[in-house]
Amino acid sequence: MLKRTPCIFIADDQRDVLESLRLLLKAEGYATETFQHPAALIDALRTRAADVVLMDLNYTRDTTSGEEGLDAVARIRALDAVTPLVVMTAWGSIELAVEAMRRGAQDFIEKPWENERLLTVLRTQVALGQAVARARALEAENHELTAAQEWIADSPAMRPVVETIERVAPSDANVLLTGESGCGKGLLARIIHERSPRKDRSLVIVNIGSLSETVFESEIFGHVKGAFTDAKADRIGRFELADGGTLFLDEIANIPPAQQARLLRVLEEGQFERLGSSRTRQVDVRVLAATNADIDVEVEAGRFRRDLLFRLNTIHIHLPPLRARGDDVLHLAQRFLLRYAQRHRRSVEAFSDAALSALRRYGWPGNVRELSHVIERAVLMARSRVIAPADLRLEGTARAERRSITLEALEEEAIRAALARHDGNVVAAADELGVSRSALYRRMEKLGL
């Protein structure tokens, strides 16, 4: 595939400035389009795309306040919320530049500019724009798959989760998602993002558990060229990629202790520095975090900062395991059956009654992720249009099934679910379960809760 030449739109009312910028950027390998007025630039953006917009804030009709340029910034952002926008001002007015960034610009350049500073800013913004474009393309490519994964949460155990999502998704509140591995925390993060005012901006996903401590800082905050031995170019971190959108930090309990203070600062102030840089950057990011660990235990053990936990769990949502969700298992199984039959072009249409009974009885230690794998395998291996118990191959895990359906296990799950619904309030949980507070404490102690 041929590599496309990045194109930069430039707006300035001085022809000599436009020509100087055109020649400078041409020498750097950029294509350009030039405009003498922001109205012409905006018209161009209606019909074709730019990798970066570079626009002066001061025009002949308004050479002191920059209002015409600031108005253009707002109009560009209303038309296009994604393309990186860099503004220029000849008046050395930091206040004007700050206002432009408040209205949606990513960076600013003072005139007369320094070529290296200008080129560095543009390189960074081109890379950022391309990264965001790739993320949006992947989202568009996966739209059909995402629609097929429409959430199923009809069971009583999921009712508090649904109600909480309805309240908090439209807000900017940080959310901490907890629950066993495979129970759908990642899908829930997508649902929260898609139901928020940030749904048209990027959802950036980071698996903290896959990052070593040595690469964590560069991956999350970015770095500048020369920051360390292998830093051969500037790198944009995940916080910058998520600017204006949502950042989902999966397996948050695995964040290196040395980096927790930096993450706390971003959550509190929206500010950070790339590795190797002294320039402070400002971002507007909503953070969703998830963990299958007992985060309170991590705090008590000193492995996780309590003040960081307070910032992450403005809202805490605990997802119950699949075995506690009743007939949600069957509804999800049917959804997976339709998806995989279509994907693999198999004429499998339904489950036998015996297969449905097996699905309902099984304990699902791997939760929704395990169910998805089991159904995909059954679709591929089924000998007829109807999936039989033998196609599910659950017999090999009968021991796990027996363990999961003991009375003690069911009692533990009921207590956990009640505590989750009442945010750990033992009195309220005891009232719901119909036992005394002291009796509930004794059962919790026995079960190791």
Side-chain angles (χ1 to χ4, degrees), residues 361-382:
R361 289 196 310 270
Y362 183 59
W364 302 109
N367 291 293
V368 179
R369 186 180 296 127
E370 181 186 11
L371 175 62
S372 174
H373 292 325
V374 166
I375 302 305
E376 183 173 21
R377 183 182 62 205
V379 166
L380 290 169
M381 301 303 295

Side-chain angles (χ1 to χ4, degrees), residues 103-259:
R103 298 192 189 192
Q106 269 72 38
D107 212 329
F108 71 94
I109 298 292
E110 292 182 278
K111 296 164 67 177
W113 63 83
E114 295 179 1
N115 285 351
E116 189 54 41
R117 154 76 176 156
L118 174 65
L119 293 173
T120 297
V121 168
L122 293 180
R123 288 189 203 108
T124 298
Q125 294 303 326
V126 166
L128 175 59
Q130 291 175 342
V132 171
R134 287 194 297 271
R136 290 172 69 86
L138 285 173
E139 289 175 2
E141 181 180 331
N142 292 328
H143 176 73
E144 185 175 346
L145 177 61
T146 302
Q149 288 180 323
E150 182 181 350
W151 204 32
I152 291 176
D154 298 326
S155 65
M158 290 298 288
R159 195 169 299 132
V161 176
V162 174
E163 292 174 352
T164 302
I165 290 173
E166 289 176 350
R167 292 192 189 99
V168 306
S171 73
D172 264 348
N174 293 336
V175 180
L176 177 64
L177 308 171
T178 60
E180 295 179 7
S181 179
C183 66
K185 297 185 291 294
L187 177 59
L188 184 56
R190 289 185 179 277
I191 291 170
I192 293 172
H193 173 74
E194 290 169 3
R195 296 184 183 182
S196 76
R198 298 172 181 261
K199 63 182 179 181
D200 294 328
R201 305 301 295 269
S202 294
L203 169 63
V204 177
I205 301 172
V206 185
N207 186 331
I208 301 294
S210 68
L211 301 180
S212 67
E213 186 166 358
T214 56
V215 304
F216 177 88
E217 190 170 2
S218 173
E219 189 71 22
I220 300 298
F221 303 110
H223 65 249
V224 297
K225 181 179 179 181
F228 48 88
T229 303
D230 294 327
K232 303 185 185 306
D234 289 357
R235 178 181 178 86
I236 298 166
R238 301 302 181 92
F239 265 98
E240 282 182 87
L241 286 174
D243 192 17
T246 305
L247 180 63
F248 175 45
L249 301 176
D250 200 7
E251 297 189 33
I252 189 65
N254 292 325
I255 182 172
Q259 302 299 336

Side-chain angles (χ1 to χ4, degrees), residues 269-333:
E269 304 173 8
Q271 296 181 339
F272 68 97
E273 291 80 34
R274 289 184 185 171
L275 182 61
S277 172
S278 59
R279 179 190 167 198
T280 299
R281 299 171 186 271
Q282 187 86 29
V283 289
D284 172 25
V285 175
R286 182 188 196 180
V287 173
L288 309 178
T291 181
N292 56 19
D294 189 328
I295 197 69
D296 290 323
V297 170
E298 296 299 304
V299 170
E300 292 302 323
R303 293 186 292 265
F304 200 89
R305 294 178 62 121
R306 190 179 301 275
D307 48 0
L308 177 56
L309 176 60
F310 290 155
R311 284 291 177 178
L312 290 169
N313 72 343
T314 303
I315 301 295
H316 177 203
I317 300 178
H318 181 77
L319 273 72
L322 185 58
R323 60 185 174 273
R325 293 174 56 180
D327 284 347
D328 278 359
V329 173
L330 305 185
H331 300 319
L332 285 164

